[in-house]
Amino acid sequence: MDFQLTEDQRALVDLVDQILADHCGNERLAELEKEARGSGIGSVHDARAWRALAGAGAVSALLPDDGDLGIMGLALLAEAAGRHTAYVPVVAAIALGALPLARFGGAADLLADAASGAKLVTAALEEPGEPDSLITTARRGEDGAFVLDGAKVMVPYGDLADAILVPAVLDDVPALFVVPRSALTVTPLLATGRQPYADLDLDAVTVPAEALLARGTEALDWLRDLGTVAYAAEASGVCAEAVAMTARYTSTRKQFGEPIASFQAVAQRAADAFISAEALRLCVLHAAWLMDDAARGGHSASAADVSADVAIAKFHAGDAGSRVLHAAQHLHGGIGVDTDYPLHRYFVRGQQIEQTLGTATRQLLRIGAHLAE
């Protein structure tokens, strides 16, 4: 296992970092947030930055028929988005949209539009009350069509997506359907991190036969793992930049004529945060590498072991991530909560990721169940 970036992976990271640096500076993000507060419910989507990323080929570079940078490429891209706290749908549109479409096949036109940024596809993986099994159902209708009933909650970019991948039980087997957003009842939400989320209601929604994208527990588990490791990667970027920002601040902020970074208590807290951020990054890269290897036909680990490693990465995103971001806030003092200063954006983004696709406690339950098998 080698975590050194290949030439293509390094080129992707440099490209995405440059685009996000050009489009997602503190003033630009503050301007977007101000505009959002004056319209709608206040959630923020940076369409300009997203078009720039997709137009530069950052999405298609991950797909098997193009750059084929795969799941490791996704992790690096999500990490870059986290470093800039960009309001772009990297996880929603790629981990929960383009890559599943590429893996399962059957929606070539939609995949082409998703890769170019012309359309946005996401997935609805959470249901009300966090049930142990799917409560959304699908039944067979007339002329091969399917009829879906149920509800989904906290769907990332659910109010902006053109199509949504909806898991539902069909003939007692989990299945995945491509459903146009226009067929759903959509309730936009204002979430902690200000990124778009929505609740969806499906009341006898009829979709054609070709809307059935995949069947089986394995397909849905893979999709959830992909989204989970992508969110953990975004959290890794958030934490890494929060630590770097804290290092810069404590190296220049002085008390008693000395930089506060020279004080033992400050240095120890910062060092602990750095170690936690590095541990999170290694767990993310390990889980992404295993998923990537499995997707390419490797046999480094079983599917259950890979899922457990994804849960470990997401656990650290919630547990270690929370420690890192609280330390960054505390070491900044009062300026850390000043909304004109960018650190607050990292804190709320980290909090949002922690709550998405399973908290640290839910990941521990997954890990424990795996160890008990």
Side-chain angles (χ1 to χ4, degrees):
M1 191 173 295
D2 183 3
F3 292 153
Q4 292 294 320
L5 300 188
T6 66
E7 186 176 334
D8 288 343
Q9 288 170 341
R10 172 54 59 190
L12 174 70
V13 171
D14 290 344
L15 172 68
V16 171
D17 261 336
Q18 185 59 58
I19 292 172
L20 294 180
D22 291 343
H23 287 81
C24 304
N26 184 44
E27 290 185 4
R28 168 64 178 163
L29 296 181
E31 179 184 337
L32 287 169
E33 291 159 356
K34 183 178 180 181
E35 289 175 0
R37 284 194 294 270
S39 62
I41 63 168
S43 60
V44 184
H45 168 52
D46 191 345
R48 192 173 74 183
W50 180 240
R51 283 196 300 271
L53 284 174
V59 182
S60 58
L62 309 184
L63 302 178
D65 293 337
D66 202 326
D68 197 23
L69 293 179
I71 297 170
M72 278 297 289
L74 166 68
L76 297 172
L77 209 165
E79 187 179 36
R83 280 197 299 273
H84 295 272
T85 56
Y87 289 109
V88 292
V90 168
V91 178
I94 304 176
L96 303 179
L99 285 178
L101 289 175
R103 179 181 176 90
F104 300 129
D109 291 343
L110 184 58
L111 173 59
D113 287 340
S116 69
K119 288 187 177 179
L120 200 157
V121 182
T122 187
L125 300 181
E126 300 282 48
E127 295 188 325
E130 300 181 359
D132 293 331
S133 57
L134 282 173
I135 58 174
T136 300
T137 61
R139 64 181 189 277
R140 300 180 189 280
E142 297 179 354
D143 301 325
F146 297 99
V147 182
L148 280 67
D149 290 280
K152 303 291 181 181
V153 297
M154 291 301 293
V155 180
Y157 285 77
D159 55 336
L160 298 178
D162 297 283
I164 298 169
L165 308 186
V166 177
V169 177
L170 174 65
D171 299 333
D172 298 324
V173 176
L176 191 63
F177 296 87
V178 181
V179 181
R181 177 172 55 92
S182 57
L184 306 171
T185 301
V186 179
T187 304
L189 305 171
L190 179 58
T192 302
R194 288 197 169 276
Q195 290 176 301
Y197 281 83
D199 288 347
L200 309 178
D201 285 313
L202 298 92
D203 184 11
V205 173
T206 300
V207 293
E210 55 269 26
L212 178 58
L213 191 66
R215 295 196 68 182
T217 302
E218 184 179 342
L220 265 63
D221 287 347
W222 179 87
L223 175 57
R224 176 173 281 274
D225 282 347
L226 188 62
T228 302
V229 78
Y231 275 119
E234 186 176 352
S236 175
V238 168
C239 290
E241 184 56 28
V243 170
M245 192 181 300
T246 302
R248 292 192 293 270
Y249 177 76
T250 56
S251 297
T252 55
R253 175 78 165 90
K254 292 185 177 180
Q255 282 288 342
F256 311 112
E258 299 292 337
I260 61 174
S262 65
F263 301 156
Q264 188 177 42
V266 172
Q268 287 177 337
R269 187 90 188 269
D272 285 344
F274 175 78
I275 292 169
S276 293
E278 285 295 296
L280 166 59
R281 185 167 195 267
L282 288 175
C283 289
V284 167
L285 292 177
H286 184 250
W289 188 92
L290 288 176
M291 285 199 74
D292 205 40
D293 183 62
R296 297 177 191 278
H299 301 283
S300 299
S302 68
D305 287 338
V306 174
S307 288
D309 274 276
V310 170
I312 291 170
K314 187 60 165 61
F315 165 75
H316 280 286
D319 185 71
S322 179
R323 286 199 304 274
V324 170
L325 296 171
H326 276 90
Q329 285 282 359
H330 293 163
L331 293 176
H332 270 83
I335 196 173
V337 295
D338 186 340
T339 55
D340 290 330
Y341 189 75
L343 184 65
H344 77 284
R345 205 171 284 119
Y346 291 83
F347 188 85
V348 297
R349 180 67 61 89
Q351 294 286 307
Q352 183 64 56
I353 293 172
E354 180 182 355
Q355 301 297 322
T356 303
L357 292 187
T359 61
T361 300
R362 282 180 65 185
Q363 304 308 327
L364 284 180
L365 291 173
R366 290 180 60 194
I367 297 166
H370 173 69
L371 294 175
E373 288 178 354

